[in-house]
Amino acid sequence: MFATTIFAQLGIVALVGALALALWKGDSAERLGGGINLAAGLFAMFLHPLLSPDVQPVAQLVVDAALAAGFLFLSIRFASLWLGVAMLLQAVQFSLHAYYMVGDLKHDHLFAEINNVDSWGIIFCIIVGTAVSWRQRVVKRRREAQKAAVGAPSA
């Protein structure tokens, strides 16, 4: 019933994988961003189909707005470029869903393409943000080790 296509299954793997990477090597911003993105993705994949068709578009907009607000809060709190990009991508997602809801349009191929590219872009932002923070920590430790080695008395 849920995640019946290979693309939906890959989406679940990507959401969980991005969060796992963020938990393993990311800082607080990446962990929180990955967590709220996974929560929104799980809603879309599992709870959304259980709702009445009349309520689904409104529920999706509420989740989109909550995720965008979460990214906004995190981008203000951590002043991270990747969070700003993720927030803008989520704004595109919100606008896409609002446009189709207000126009009472059926989800077509264009909707699916924009939705998927946008979702993968947010996942990519989380992965890149994690890689950047990981790299910054490695460089910082290397510099500290070099300073300690230069300042240490030689025998």
Side-chain angles (χ1 to χ4, degrees):
M1 181 168 146
F2 301 111
T4 56
T5 67
I6 187 71
F7 297 113
Q9 293 168 356
L10 285 173
I12 293 169
V13 170
L15 283 170
V16 173
L19 177 60
L21 180 66
L23 290 172
W24 180 40
K25 292 294 181 178
D27 287 333
S28 296
E30 292 80 24
R31 292 175 181 156
L32 292 169
I36 63 173
N37 192 45
L38 178 63
L42 289 176
F43 171 81
M45 285 184 237
F46 295 111
L47 295 178
H48 188 261
L50 300 176
L51 298 173
S52 162
D54 296 336
V55 177
Q56 285 177 350
V58 176
Q60 188 62 55
L61 282 180
V62 169
V63 171
D64 286 344
L67 185 55
F71 283 141
L72 173 63
F73 172 77
L74 292 175
S75 64
I76 291 170
R77 167 68 176 88
F78 294 104
S80 177
L81 179 62
W82 79 265
L83 279 163
V85 174
M87 180 189 61
L88 291 173
L89 287 171
Q90 187 55 37
V92 169
Q93 191 88 320
F94 179 85
S95 299
L96 175 71
H97 288 128
Y99 177 77
Y100 273 78
M101 183 182 87
V102 170
D104 199 24
L105 303 171
K106 297 286 183 195
H107 292 177
D108 55 4
H109 184 71
L110 179 63
F111 174 89
E113 290 294 325
I114 294 170
N115 187 49
N116 290 338
V117 167
D118 194 78
S119 297
W120 282 98
I122 293 170
I123 292 169
F124 182 72
C125 285
I126 294 168
I127 292 169
V128 168
T130 301
V132 167
S133 75
W134 181 11
R135 177 72 180 144
Q136 287 174 342
R137 281 195 313 276
V138 167
V139 168
K140 182 180 177 183
R141 284 188 207 128
R142 187 175 297 143
R143 286 185 186 148
E144 289 172 356
Q146 287 174 345
K147 285 182 184 179
V150 169
S154 47

